[in-house]
Amino acid sequence: MKKILLVEDDVFVRDIYSRELRKGDYEITLAEDGQVGIDKATSEQFDLILLDIMLPKKTGIDVLRELRNSPEPFKNTPVYLLTNLGQGSIIKQAVEIGAQGYLLKARFLPSQVLESIGKFFTEGPMKIDLKEFGLE
């Protein structure tokens, strides 16, 4: 069973996505803020981290940066942004730091997020098109 860490501060959103992901037979661990996300991500090995950007205590960008600077094997854990923040500059920054994908909550139903996660595990990371945000 694949293990996913979901770092999301909104209780309602966290509940919706965790229930949907469990339908895909994933083991879900929850973190309610950036610091808890870092603590969990560097104490247990996950197959994927779903990371919101706007988080209390530490932003998703801070969490991603800390993960990429952490020791093996945690530094290489795949990270997908799961956020409503669709600003191109932030997406570009996250990709440069090492995010493998992004899913905008406003554009993806929870069932589509589940489908994207399934594709990640079967086909590999998504192709990130920064042109969608007016970036190269």
Side-chain angles (χ1 to χ4, degrees), residues 1-4 21-22 24-28 45-47 121:
M1 181 180 291
K2 301 286 188 187
K3 293 171 57 174
I4 297 174
L21 291 166
R22 285 186 179 101
D25 207 26
Y26 299 115
E27 181 182 327
I28 307 301
Q45 187 62 47
F46 292 94
D47 297 296
F121 287 122

Side-chain angles (χ1 to χ4, degrees), residues 61-119:
I61 295 293
D62 293 334
V63 170
L64 182 59
R65 191 174 284 117
E66 283 192 44
L67 279 173
R68 293 304 175 240
N69 291 321
S70 66
E72 296 280 353
F74 309 111
K75 72 186 286 173
N76 296 318
T77 303
V79 175
Y80 265 34
L81 303 177
L82 181 60
T83 184
N84 270 327
L85 205 58
Q87 295 168 316
S89 59
I90 292 173
I91 301 294
K92 183 177 181 185
Q93 182 182 18
V95 169
E96 288 171 351
I97 295 169
Q100 281 85 3
Y102 64 91
L103 301 167
L104 298 177
K105 295 176 199 172
R107 293 188 195 171
F108 288 86
L109 295 170
S111 60
Q112 292 170 309
V113 169
L114 177 61
E115 183 180 320
S116 292
I117 300 309
K119 284 183 181 178

